[in-house]
Amino acid sequence: MKTTVRRVSLPDGKRVLMLSDPHGHAAGLKAVLEKAAFSPQDVLILVGDYLEKGPESLATLRLVMDLCRTHTVYPLMGNVDLWRLEFLESDDPEFQKGMQRYSLQAKQWWGGSLLHEMCAELGEELTERTDICALFPLIRRHFAPEMDFLRSLPTVLDTQRFIFVHGGIPHEDLDALAGADAFPILKFDDFYSAGLSFQKYVVVGHWPTVLYSAANPVFDPIIDRQRHIICLDGACGVKTEGQLNLLSLPDWQSDAFTLYTWDDLPRVRALDAQPPSPAAQARYIPWNDHAITLVERGEEMSRILYHGALMEVPTQFIFDHDGVLSCSDVTDYVLPVSPGEEISVILPLKRGIYGKKSNAAGWYFGRYENA
């Protein structure tokens, strides 16, 4: 796919909403739009990745298609959306069978996959024995509107003050980028760490903001007013504790950002006060750097070494990754909590709750009640 740039002038006096990476969470997308009171008077910009990593890929894609018909919406292509489109357009039987194998794994990881949903709608169950190659002509006919919509998505949206792209751009010369391979800007990993600065705000998704956390993991968007970069991806679907982030401006010329978020974690209400641990002493294991050394395995918590530092982590978070002992995302940061505050529960244990408060992850060791 070649890079396509769409240029639009955002209207004065209308709210501008921006969101990325709903990843098969149609219910979450609806919920966060309702929180923001999204209406036909607003402008919504969607920065890609509607599919996979959630149980409702088709519903999410169709919700976006419906919103485009009833509201002012500018949807962009994401790298996962492009991969699925390339799969649906491919005549390579090995590619098709490879996606079948991936989809069977995805069902276990995330509760569904685009291919599972397509087969189910056609009255077919996707299993290892399904002849996916024989099903492809029917899939293409039945889902032609969805494929046409994906093909229509631009890779870059250029406005008066903002440039929107799923992964990132190396510079602001969009004319030079137009027509080039789109993949590098759809999957621009670790974009914020590239040290780039821009005249217009460059608004991206793709790389979860929590991966930029040094100690206590925060899932909120990053708004860098000096370098003019906004990173939106709250890791919805990628991790259990992820969230959908929606940023709203009262007008495209405003700097008054309002954040709306959604996750589907259960909530409890804290009954006790808890001071935070010093953030400088906290350690965080992210999923892109998760190799550990086991010191002592316990029933509930285990002691490990992570980059030479001693940590206690939930034993159930320890796993083998291609022969390397690893640990799922976790921090030893202790959250600041006041009585009455709500905590989203990631993992309840005897020693306390590993959860989120104010969109930051950490531990709470006090008493609580259901919220």
Side-chain angles (χ1 to χ4, degrees), residues 257-275:
F257 290 97
T258 300
L259 173 63
Y260 302 90
T261 67
W262 171 89
D263 66 43
D264 58 357
L265 295 171
R267 262 72 167 174
V268 298
R269 185 173 293 107
L271 299 177
D272 300 317
Q274 174 177 277

Side-chain angles (χ1 to χ4, degrees), residues 3-21:
T3 298
T4 55
V5 179
R6 182 174 183 183
R7 291 182 166 90
V8 300
S9 291
L10 299 176
D12 296 340
K14 290 198 173 188
R15 277 202 314 165
V16 178
L17 283 63
M18 51 191 81
L19 176 148
S20 80
D21 297 85

